Amino acid sequence: MSMTMDPSGSTALFADLDVEVELDAPLAGHTWYAVGGRADALVRPRSPEALSTLLRRCHRNAVRVRVLGSGANLLVADEGVEGVVILLDAPCWKELRLNAEGPVTMARVGAGRDLAKTIHDTARASLAGLEPLIGIPAQVGGAIRMNAGGKFGAIGDVVRSVGLVSWDGTERTYAHDEIRFGYRHSELPPGIVTWAVLALTPADPVELRERSKAISAYKSSVQPLAANSAGCMYKNPVDPATGQRVSAGLLIDRAGLKGTRVGGAVVSTQHGNFLCTEPGARAQDLIDLSALVAEETFRRTGIRLEREVVFWRRGEG
Ligand SMILES: Cc1cc2nc3c(=O)[nH]c(=O)nc-3n(C[C@H](O)[C@H](O)[C@H](O)COP(=O)(O)OP(=O)(O)OC[C@H]3O[C@@H](n4cnc5c(N)ncnc54)[C@H](O)[C@@H]3O)c2cc1C
């Protein structure tokens, strides 16, 4: 660990900063897989100034920083991660402000705000635009980084601008066109999303409720929402034969891999692209299972799977 952190917890990095620090912090409980090791320090900044100063200090001291959202697309290795993990869960990161501008309403949302809560609050104000994201667990910042979405649309469709603090502590606003949202991916520069402005449209409340119910029913019919997973492990790949995206779940199913197990990690029997953990599972079980599924799917279908879930391991991304 290249970090100036002493065992008592008072460190040059955090001195005089408005942050809450937990040293040697377990991360499993912060992720949907509920497995994995510890972070050298889990830090909750209580203001934008504290976050920028902390990032500047970490940058100067070559301390690795990562940011955790709701942990719904994340696997932390059993050996944990070095350096600082940031959690945006102080009230200043969770604000929602609505502001009508002609026929649309701009919603300024803190990156640490729960996405489901944001969908709920905007729908109550009869504003459409976020309902395509129903059933996707995330914080707003994590959803933007991943361009979360699916059959009904993605968050990038409604993003107007994003506030981002880069790892050296510099703050900048990015307009939609600079971000280039792609399939489960955004081309934001490295750093921490701190807020976003979303463009939402006033809607008929009854129609919006009906549409939301239909999306919710669809999601729960196709995904094992109760299991410990991070949603889809792989992106839907492009079939070289047709140039079209094909369902990774379908390929895994066709390869006969549903129900395949490594230790406490298992391929869901309901949805081939959901790799789930059972009590007692280790992160390594999932890492091994995901490698096995990708290899076997390629061997049997000739199509390579690219991982969607982010893996955190010591010394790498
Ligand atoms: C049951 C289930 C169903 C799911 N269904 C879908 C689905 O239909 N569609 C879909 O797209 N996804 C789905 N997912 C995956 C997941 O919900 C999304 O990827 C979501 O965007 C993850 O957000 P998060 O806040 O949990 O991010 P995390 O999992 O905490 O982090 C994911 C990545 O985003 C980065 N990140 C987090 N916060 C920030 C921030 N503030 N600034 C910059 N980077 C940040 C992290 O460093 C990490 O690299 C599902 C997951 C589960 C468990």
Side-chain angles (χ1 to χ4, degrees):
M1 173 168 78
S2 61
M3 182 170 199
T4 49
M5 190 183 277
D6 72 37
S8 71
S10 68
T11 97
L13 287 177
F14 313 127
D16 308 326
L17 283 187
D18 193 10
V19 296
E20 191 186 313
V21 181
E22 189 184 343
L23 293 181
D24 197 24
L27 294 180
H30 292 282
T31 71
W32 276 61
Y33 282 129
V35 297
R38 294 166 179 267
D40 289 342
L42 183 63
V43 182
R44 297 166 160 93
R46 294 199 195 91
S47 71
E49 297 72 33
L51 174 64
S52 294
T53 311
L54 175 63
L55 292 182
R56 256 196 312 279
R57 287 183 190 173
C58 288
H59 186 67
R60 262 192 239 122
N61 288 278
V63 172
R64 177 67 200 263
V65 183
R66 294 172 170 86
V67 57
L68 179 65
S70 76
N73 200 46
L74 190 64
L75 178 70
V76 179
D78 294 309
E79 73 272 17
V81 288
E82 77 282 20
V84 165
V85 171
I86 304 272
L87 201 54
L88 301 179
D89 68 353
C92 67
W93 310 111
K94 296 183 179 181
E95 287 170 4
L96 170 66
R97 270 187 278 143
L98 301 175
N99 199 339
E101 257 187 39
V104 286
T105 295
M106 296 299 161
R108 192 185 193 279
V109 196
R113 192 177 173 88
D114 182 60
L115 181 63
K117 189 167 162 41
T118 312
I119 297 170
H120 180 258
D121 292 342
T122 53
R124 279 192 64 156
S126 298
L127 293 170
L130 287 180
E131 70 284 356
L133 309 175
I134 284 172
I136 302 179
Q139 286 184 355
V140 168
I144 288 174
R145 172 59 79 200
M146 302 303 304
N147 193 19
K151 185 179 160 74
F152 304 97
I155 195 164
D157 302 343
V158 294
V159 168
R160 274 291 171 94
S161 57
V162 162
L164 182 128
V165 193
S166 57
W167 296 130
D168 65 5
T170 316
E171 291 175 55
R172 229 203 95 179
T173 299
Y174 292 84
H176 176 277
D177 292 349
E178 292 177 276
I179 300 171
R180 288 214 293 278
F181 287 101
Y183 169 63
R184 300 296 81 80
H185 170 74
S186 64
E187 284 189 19
L188 273 167
I192 299 183
V193 174
T194 50
W195 55 264
V197 170
L198 312 176
L200 306 174
T201 328
D204 176 74
V206 178
E207 271 174 31
L208 183 55
R209 200 162 44 240
E210 289 309 312
R211 182 165 152 73
S212 301
K213 267 199 220 155
I215 293 171
S216 178
Y218 171 81
K219 283 287 285 188
S220 38
S221 71
V222 294
Q223 294 190 347
L225 293 172
N228 274 345
S229 80
C232 293
M233 175 60 85
Y234 303 99
K235 298 181 181 186
N236 291 330
V238 175
D239 183 342
T242 63
Q244 303 291 315
R245 281 200 188 275
V246 283
S247 155
L250 207 66
L251 294 176
I252 293 167
D253 190 5
R254 278 202 205 126
L257 295 167
K258 274 183 169 174
T260 305
R261 168 185 294 279
V262 173
V266 63
V267 180
S268 163
T269 49
Q270 189 184 342
H271 189 312
N273 203 1
F274 274 53
L275 274 52
C276 305
T277 46
E278 292 177 345
R282 296 169 316 133
Q284 195 58 44
D285 296 340
L286 263 170
I287 294 169
D288 294 345
L289 181 64
S290 69
L292 185 151
V293 167
E295 265 168 42
E296 279 299 295
T297 304
F298 178 62
R299 200 173 65 79
R300 296 190 206 183
T301 68
I303 299 180
R304 286 195 194 282
L305 296 176
E306 184 195 341
R307 215 174 55 226
E308 179 177 325
V309 172
V310 176
F311 284 10
W312 280 1
R313 297 187 252 220
R314 278 191 184 267
E316 53 175 89

